[in-house]
Amino acid sequence: MAQFLTAREVEKLIRNGHPIPADAKLTPSARDYLTEHGKSSLNARPAAGPSAGSNALKAAGVGVEPIVPDYEYKWTPGADPKAPEAIAAFFTSPAIETLKRRMVDMGRRMWEKDYTDGNGGNITVRVGDNLVLCTPTLISKGFMTAEDICLIDMDGKQLAGRRKRTSEAMTHLAIMKRQPLCKSCVHAHPPHATAFAVARVQPPTCLIPEADIFLGKIALAKYETPGTPEMASTVGEVGKDNQCVLLLNHGVITWGKDVEDAYWKMENADAYCKTIWIASQLGGEIGDGVGGAKARDFIKIRKALGMPDNRDGLKECELCDNSDFRPGVMCRVPDTPAEPATSPEVEALVSKLTEEILKQLAVK
């Protein structure tokens, strides 16, 4: 008679490295355990029928081609809704509702990481030739709901949404207009990267592979008043060739192919700046990092991942040029002899000056 295995028994078998008996049947809870934990050791016949085992195998990722999740929103060119009814239907469609919830999740993650305070930061996702989802003005990014998200066109005109869109969406749109690969932007004030922006210090390159691969060169954009056309134009020009831009005396903006990609780059930027800040205080030599030859590898990987890199045409000696990076000076008291020597000439001069001072005091 076939043996029935409970979830606890299956868990014990797997934990101890034992296979599940081929003639065993699984209780529903045991099947759920295997599905939830993605175990590939499922070779038992299920109690619920012949098709349940194959379904569990598929759910556990056994015998299927592994995938890389892709959250990029792809629209049909020239198919943007125009009429109010069509815009409303599009704005409330299942695909757009999924994107809204993802934007809300990114906002919560930014808030939990201390990347935003008060109503700071904003998020956009391009969803058409002339359509962009964006976060509203004057709202904490940690407490948004899907109902708070707005729909605007590429000129910033609001098309849908019960809350007013953020004025800083224009900066995001300026990058999107110049760079078709930009499908989502995230703006925030992560403390360490923003510190570099306030100090007007450009982070060095070629020091950590992950930063060079996923961020490329971190660029600087001169200060302009937030929300103004001047800021949009300035950041748009810098951002079209750089996926991470430090806004001097303001914060950071990153972009990617989808909202999670853009948010990841914000995490990458702040972690990198934090590491560089700590490393620069250790007294070691930062220099040119891994060197130009290895930096070429970073650029190749970026391009293979579909990310642009404006360093592609630079010479190897230029790829890791960190000569402008000046970390804080570390002062060191020089060693001094235990009994500093004095020369007869110095002693005679001191004696003469002392006598002259005493004479002047006596006259007075």
Side-chain angles (χ1 to χ4, degrees):
M1 188 174 188
Q3 176 187 7
F4 276 89
L5 296 179
T6 65
R8 181 174 295 180
E9 290 169 332
V10 167
E11 179 185 5
K12 184 177 180 181
L13 285 171
I14 293 174
R15 188 172 61 246
N16 293 328
H18 300 308
I20 298 173
D23 61 344
K25 292 184 178 181
L26 306 179
T27 63
S29 62
R31 293 199 308 274
D32 290 342
Y33 174 84
L34 288 167
T35 299
E36 291 172 5
H37 292 79
K39 300 301 180 184
S40 60
S41 56
L42 176 60
N43 56 9
R45 289 184 293 105
S51 63
S54 60
N55 290 337
L57 282 168
K58 186 176 181 180
V62 178
V64 298
E65 185 68 24
I67 64 168
V68 175
D70 184 3
Y71 301 121
E72 181 179 355
Y73 183 83
K74 299 177 177 67
W75 64 86
T76 302
D80 285 1
K82 301 292 194 301
E85 295 80 5
I87 292 174
F90 173 80
F91 188 56
T92 56
S93 65
I96 297 302
E97 289 297 327
T98 296
L99 285 180
K100 292 178 188 176
R101 291 193 294 271
R102 192 163 290 139
M103 292 171 69
V104 168
D105 183 47
M106 295 306 115
R108 175 187 55 79
R109 288 160 70 174
M110 286 199 299
W111 183 81
E112 289 177 346
K113 294 280 287 185
D114 287 336
Y115 291 175
T116 62
D117 57 330
N119 62 287
N122 39 75
I123 304 169
T124 54
V125 178
R126 190 171 183 180
V127 291
D129 295 334
N130 195 38
L131 298 173
V132 178
L133 297 173
C134 78
T135 49
T137 189
L138 297 176
I139 191 171
S140 169
K141 301 309 169 293
F143 296 89
M144 294 187 299
T145 66
E147 290 73 26
D148 295 320
I149 303 300
C150 315
L151 181 69
I152 60 177
D153 65 17
M154 289 287 283
D155 292 321
K157 178 183 177 182
Q158 187 154 341
L159 304 175
R162 61 187 179 88
R163 295 190 61 130
K164 185 178 180 180
R165 58 96 169 161
T166 172
S167 62
E168 292 198 50
M170 302 305 295
T171 302
H172 301 212
L173 300 177
I175 300 176
M176 292 177 180
K177 287 180 179 180
R178 293 167 170 82
Q179 176 53 268
L181 295 175
C182 174
K183 300 291 184 66
S184 178
C185 290
V186 170
H187 167 61
H189 311 128
H192 303 93
T194 301
F196 274 71
V198 171
R200 301 179 173 231
V201 174
Q202 185 166 24
T205 58
C206 301
L207 300 183
I208 301 177
E210 289 78 8
D212 260 76
I213 291 171
F214 293 110
L215 293 173
K217 183 177 181 179
I218 299 177
L220 301 179
K222 70 176 184 178
Y223 178 80
E224 298 288 356
T225 303
T228 62
E230 292 78 12
M231 180 182 180
S233 177
T234 297
V235 178
E237 281 299 312
V238 178
K240 68 181 181 182
D241 295 320
N242 300 278
Q243 290 191 274
C244 179
V245 181
L246 302 186
L247 314 177
L248 296 189
N249 299 97
H250 185 184
V252 184
I253 190 166
T254 55
W255 64 263
K257 66 181 184 64
D258 58 69
V259 68
E260 187 151 21
D261 183 31
Y263 168 73
W264 281 347
K265 287 174 171 51
M266 187 66 67
E267 282 196 359
N268 295 152
D270 199 55
Y272 184 62
C273 288
K274 181 178 181 180
T275 302
I276 297 305
W277 165 59
I278 295 172
S280 66
Q281 299 180 64
L282 296 178
E285 186 68 33
I286 290 180
D288 293 335
V290 301
K294 296 297 183 182
R296 286 254 181 255
D297 295 336
F298 301 156
I299 296 172
K300 289 178 183 177
I301 296 173
R302 279 181 59 78
K303 294 179 70 175
L305 292 172
M307 296 183 285
D309 199 308
N310 60 356
R311 301 173 297 172
D312 198 17
L314 296 179
K315 300 176 182 178
E316 285 190 2
C317 61
E318 298 172 314
L319 288 175
C320 299
D321 183 6
N322 295 324
S323 57
D324 290 337
F325 180 65
R326 295 287 186 271
V329 176
M330 294 187 65
C331 298
R332 179 175 178 272
V333 178
D335 294 332
T336 57
E339 296 181 0
T342 57
S343 66
E345 292 81 4
V346 171
E347 291 183 353
L349 178 60
V350 172
S351 178
K352 185 175 181 180
L353 289 174
T354 302
E355 291 176 4
E356 186 63 31
I357 291 172
L358 291 174
K359 287 180 182 179
Q360 294 295 329
L361 290 174
V363 170
K364 293 180 179 180

